[in-house]
């Protein structure tokens, strides 16, 4: 019974995540209206046939903006997690293989990074380095590095204690080869799950940054920015403050469910950890 | 505090100080690397070169970086946060005013989040697989996915626009009386607390499930304790260790969260101050605030470690910090 329930989570999560991806890809080719097209005569229109989700204060079509917003959110999250995983995983693997002071250094540095409230520091970095999607990617990515380093190190240490690693070493395989051929494939489940979790967190962080005006810059739409704009007109067009938020929540929910589901399927031992 | 325990605490304390120092160095270096000359921003770009130089000298910006760093850290150690470039008042004074908004907000959120999450988690665990468990955890799953600033907007829509029970933003100050001030903080505190409560209730549920399976709970039932008494007297207290850790870790999220939530509700707290200081390149204020917030995270984690040790002395040297939980 529980396993069926969990697999339902996986199915819902995969469906929502694919939906998000499909929305972003579709918006590259087609949106009902150009997402930046201003139509001042039909500003703040209620949802209806012409505009399924209504229009904003500039008469831009809300549905088109939500669709195009998926593009910026996905690209920011993708690069941010890519930076974090691309640097963090090798660092964690190095720490686990080298041990000693290398290990201690990597771990202390990641402790230090955890001390900084991530979003606050991301705000500081993007605000000073200049608002925009690229700096938002970097600022969020930096805080993904220690997460991946830690998770990789922990999982790799556990694998390295097992007999088959000893056997591989006895056959004369080098440390790098052992890491690539034996350790990383064995911890890939943990890493895939962590990637989906971090992806969800990156979407929330990106939304927060663009809400305060530091993420993707107008006129290109972003969900956070749309919510900020909507707040100005909250008495006139309350629904504008609802749709982009639903988009964020569904995207994050989808990735979280996907992560939980993958954890159960790929590595049942982990399922009780959180 | 003698013996291995006292030594452990002392070692942790030394580590705490080192981490604080390292954090201050990181903040200082990052602000050196990022663009933005405070003197130039105060004067604007048309200023003459010698005026700029004079102002830079007056602000101490022409001194070597390492001297500025040492001066700043030495000041911090003595409780002197320096003087704000733009306000011309001691930064400590600015912080003192703003803390009176952010700290109550953070405390209210932690209390709300804990107050909601522990009963929810315990109820869900005690009815494992039942309707209550499935629906509560379903709601929690959605709660985890809610960005707190959007939740803030929704609360404004519901309880300020549709039902005018609470203000949509602003802060009357504590001088206006405790109730108006608290009333202004309730919606932002809820917006911060609910997503955290969702995470915490899931942690509580799995922790209680784990302790419910332990022998001592079975023993308690066997000696005639009711299900309810065994749950609350034995299972729950023993489940609190991971819960306390997560509450500590959430503090960091919460502090960062206030930065955005204070913007949603236009509250004059530390978060708004950070924004203003960044916009005005008031670097000394930015530096102080980030170190202050990072410092409080470090101190809270240290205290959590101590609580941990007090709750379970077996946990001695290692394995206190769980990996990867953010």
């Amino acid at each position: 019974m529980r396993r069926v329930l969990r697999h339902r989570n996986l199915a819902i999560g995969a469906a929502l995540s694919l939906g998000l991806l499909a929305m972003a890809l579709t918006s590259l080719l087609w949106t009902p209206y150009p997402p930046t097209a201003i139509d001042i005569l039909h500003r703040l229109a209620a949802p209806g046939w012409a505009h399924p989700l209504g229009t904003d204060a500039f008469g831009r079509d809300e549905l088109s903006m939500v669709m195009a917003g998926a593009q910026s959110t996905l690209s920011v999250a993708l690069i941010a997690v890519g930076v974090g995983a691309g640097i963090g995983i090798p660092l964690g693997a190095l720490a686990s293989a080298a041990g000693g002071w290398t290990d201690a250094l990597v771990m202390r540095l990641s402790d230090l990074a955890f001390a900084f409230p991530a979003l606050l520091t991301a705000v500081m970095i993007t605000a000073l380095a200049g608002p925009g999607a690229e700096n938002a990617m970097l600022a969020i990515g930096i805080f993904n590095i220690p997460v991946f380093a830690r998770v990789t190190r922990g999982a790799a240490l556990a694998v390295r204690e097992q007999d088959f690693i000893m056997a591989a070493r006895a056959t004369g395989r080098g440390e790098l080869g052992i890491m690539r051929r034996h350790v990383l494939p064995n911890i890939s489940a943990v890493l895939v799950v962590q990637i989906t979790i971090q992806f969800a967190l990156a979407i929330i962080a990106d939304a927060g940054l663009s809400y305060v005006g530091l993420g993707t810059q107008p006129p290109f739409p972003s969900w956070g920015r749309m919510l900020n704009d909507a707040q100005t007109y909250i008495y006139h067009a309350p629904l504008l403050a609802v749709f982009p938020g639903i988009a964020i929540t569904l995207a994050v929910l989808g990735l979280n469910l996907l992560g939980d589901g993958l954890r159960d399927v790929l590595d049942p031992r982990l399922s009780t950890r959180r | 505090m003698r013996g291995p325990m006292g030594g452990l605490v002392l070692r942790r304390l030394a580590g705490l100080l080192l981490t604080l120092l390292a954090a201050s160095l990181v903040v200082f270096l990052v602000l050196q690397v990022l663009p933005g000359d405070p003197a130039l921003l105060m004067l604007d770009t048309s200023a003459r070169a010698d005026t700029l130089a004079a102002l830079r000298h007056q602000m101490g910006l022409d001194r070597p970086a390492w001297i500025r760093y040492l001066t700043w850290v030495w000041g911090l150690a003595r409780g002197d946060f320096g003087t704000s470039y733009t306000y011309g008042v001691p930064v400590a004074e600015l912080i003192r005013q703003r803390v009176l908004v952010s700290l109550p907000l953070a405390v209210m959120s932690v209390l709300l989040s804990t107050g909601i999450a522990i009963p929810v988690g315990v109820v869900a665990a005690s009815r494992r697989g039942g309707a209550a468990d499935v629906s509560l955890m379903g709601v929690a799953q959605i709660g985890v996915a809610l960005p707190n600033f959007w939740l803030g907007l929704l609360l404004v829509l519901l309880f300020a626009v549709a039902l005018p029970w609470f203000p949509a933003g602003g802060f009357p100050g504590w001088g206006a009386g405790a109730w108006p001030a608290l009333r202004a903080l309730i919606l932002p505190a809820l917006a911060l607390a609910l997503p955290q409560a969702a995470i915490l209730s899931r942690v509580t549920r799995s922790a209680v499930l784990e302790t419910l399976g332990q022998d001592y709970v079975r023993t308690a039932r066997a000696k005639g304790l009711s299900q309810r008494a065994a749950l609350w007297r034995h299972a729950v207290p023993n489940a609190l260790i991971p819960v306390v850790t997560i509450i500590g870790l959430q503090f960091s999220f919460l502090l960062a969260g206030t930065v955005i939530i204070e913007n949603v509700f236009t509250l004059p707290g530390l978060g708004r101050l950070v924004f203003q200081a960044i916009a005005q390149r008031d670097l000394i204020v930015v530096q102080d605030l980030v170190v202050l917030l990072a410092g409080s995270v470090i101190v809270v984690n240290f205290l959590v470690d101590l609580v941990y040790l007090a709750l379970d002395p077996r946990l001695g040297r290692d394995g206190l910090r769980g990996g990867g939980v953010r």
Side-chain angles (χ1 to χ4, degrees):
Chain A
M1 172 63 201
R2 288 199 66 78
R3 277 192 78 81
V4 176
L5 203 75
R6 290 293 171 83
H7 284 288
R8 198 183 62 192
N9 282 354
L10 181 65
I12 298 174
L16 284 174
S17 307
L18 284 176
L20 174 69
L21 187 65
M23 185 158 81
L25 292 178
T26 310
S27 74
L28 286 172
L29 303 171
W30 176 84
T31 49
Y33 295 81
T36 54
I38 290 173
D39 175 9
I40 219 74
L41 285 177
H42 298 102
R43 65 195 297 262
L44 300 178
W49 284 111
H51 299 280
L53 303 184
T55 61
D56 76 350
F58 292 100
R60 292 175 294 193
D61 179 53
E62 185 79 356
L63 175 62
S64 306
M65 290 177 78
V66 168
M67 287 175 69
Q71 273 178 47
S72 62
T73 295
L74 272 190
S75 48
V76 169
L78 195 68
I79 308 250
V81 175
V83 166
I87 301 176
I89 293 176
L91 261 184
L94 175 73
S96 73
W101 65 266
T102 315
D103 186 23
L105 184 70
V106 171
M107 284 303 101
R108 287 296 84 73
L109 283 178
S110 74
D111 274 349
L112 187 61
F114 278 119
F116 290 93
L119 198 54
L120 168 70
T121 321
V123 162
M124 183 181 86
I125 292 174
T126 41
L128 291 175
E134 295 82 11
N135 286 332
M137 294 167 184
L138 274 183
I140 301 171
I142 289 172
F143 286 95
N144 274 305
I145 298 174
V147 178
F148 281 105
R150 248 165 202 273
V151 170
T152 307
R153 171 187 177 267
L157 280 180
V159 170
R160 290 174 66 84
E161 285 181 0
Q162 296 187 10
D163 291 339
F164 66 90
I165 298 290
M166 205 94 89
R169 202 167 282 142
T171 62
R173 204 179 265 286
E175 277 300 322
L176 200 65
I178 290 179
M179 188 55 74
R180 220 175 40 217
R181 294 287 296 276
H182 298 287
V183 178
L184 285 180
N186 272 295
I187 63 171
S188 59
V190 180
L191 295 180
V192 166
V193 170
Q194 197 63 39
I195 284 172
T196 59
I197 295 171
Q198 296 310 119
F199 211 97
L201 288 172
I203 288 180
I204 291 196
D206 168 61
L209 284 180
S210 54
Y211 174 79
V212 293
L214 297 174
T216 303
Q217 291 299 296
F220 202 87
S222 66
W223 293 341
R225 187 80 191 197
M226 290 167 73
L227 285 174
N228 192 333
D229 292 343
Q231 197 173 2
T232 318
Y233 300 97
I234 202 161
Y235 288 92
H236 308 288
L239 285 176
L240 290 182
V242 174
F243 298 126
I246 292 180
I248 302 170
T249 307
L250 286 181
V252 175
L253 180 67
L255 284 159
N256 282 343
L257 288 174
L258 184 66
D260 285 358
L262 284 176
R263 173 158 47 214
D264 291 341
V265 173
L266 295 176
D267 195 346
R269 281 169 305 167
L270 292 171
S271 63
T272 52
R273 223 181 51 177
R274 253 164 238 241
Chain B
M1 286 298 221
R2 281 253 189 90
M5 218 31 188
L8 185 67
V9 171
L10 274 183
R11 252 204 325 279
R12 280 286 154 79
L13 204 58
L16 171 84
L17 290 176
L18 268 179
T19 317
L20 282 174
L21 206 60
S24 71
L25 186 62
V26 169
V27 173
F28 185 82
L29 286 178
V30 167
L31 286 181
Q32 293 302 306
V33 171
L34 291 175
D37 181 343
L40 191 63
L41 202 86
M42 276 174 84
L43 287 174
D44 96 50
T45 42
S46 62
R48 280 169 39 201
D50 55 338
T51 321
L52 186 63
L55 184 65
R56 289 180 59 86
H57 178 73
Q58 192 197 331
M59 291 165 82
L61 292 170
D62 54 348
R63 289 178 301 164
W66 64 273
I67 293 194
R68 276 181 288 140
Y69 173 69
L70 289 182
T71 321
W72 173 56
V73 168
W74 178 233
L76 284 184
R78 288 172 302 141
D80 173 10
F81 287 70
T83 305
S84 156
Y85 298 149
T86 44
Y87 294 95
V89 295
V91 182
E93 178 56 26
L94 284 177
I95 291 178
R96 201 186 57 78
Q97 294 165 2
R98 307 301 184 105
V99 158
L100 290 177
V101 178
S102 294
L103 194 64
L105 179 60
V107 171
M108 275 169 81
S109 318
V110 170
L111 291 179
L112 276 170
S113 151
T114 316
I116 296 169
I118 292 184
V120 166
V122 172
V123 167
S126 66
R127 317 223 162 121
R128 180 183 191 167
D133 181 23
V134 172
S135 49
L136 284 175
M137 286 303 110
V139 172
Q141 182 74 262
I142 294 170
V144 174
L146 282 176
N148 53 24
F149 68 94
W150 182 52
L151 186 60
L153 273 183
L154 287 183
L155 290 172
V156 166
L157 266 180
L158 283 177
F159 300 112
V161 177
L163 307 163
W165 292 349
F166 296 96
F171 187 70
W174 292 101
W179 172 237
L182 280 178
R183 216 167 75 125
L185 292 182
I186 287 178
L187 293 187
L190 267 177
L192 279 171
L194 291 179
Q196 303 289 10
I199 300 173
L200 198 59
S201 65
R202 295 169 72 177
V203 175
T204 308
R205 176 182 177 273
S206 58
V208 172
L209 278 182
E210 200 145 300
T211 51
L212 275 179
Q214 301 288 327
D215 290 339
Y216 52 80
V217 174
R218 214 168 308 142
T219 311
R221 291 280 287 143
K223 76 177 187 190
L225 235 57
S226 70
Q227 179 96 45
R228 214 186 160 79
L231 178 71
W232 286 102
R233 293 242 294 270
H234 295 279
V236 174
N238 282 298
L240 283 182
I241 294 179
V243 174
V244 168
T245 322
I246 300 294
I247 294 175
L249 287 169
Q250 283 189 342
F251 191 73
S252 160
F253 258 144
L254 234 151
L255 282 176
T258 56
V259 176
I260 298 207
I261 284 292
E262 284 174 9
N263 274 284
V264 177
F265 290 91
T266 47
L267 296 173
L270 292 174
R272 294 273 290 174
L273 184 60
V274 170
F275 264 96
Q276 286 159 3
I278 289 174
Q280 295 154 341
R281 290 293 186 279
D282 201 342
L283 293 192
I284 182 84
V285 177
V286 179
Q287 241 166 261
D288 284 343
L289 282 171
V290 176
V291 162
L292 185 76
L293 294 180
S296 42
V297 171
I298 295 169
V299 170
V300 165
N301 282 339
F302 172 73
L303 293 177
V304 167
D305 277 2
L306 289 190
V307 171
Y308 228 90
L309 281 174
L311 287 176
D312 191 347
R314 281 171 309 170
L315 289 170
R317 327 165 53 88
D318 44 29
L320 288 196
R321 303 246 166 116
V325 186
R326 289 230 310 156

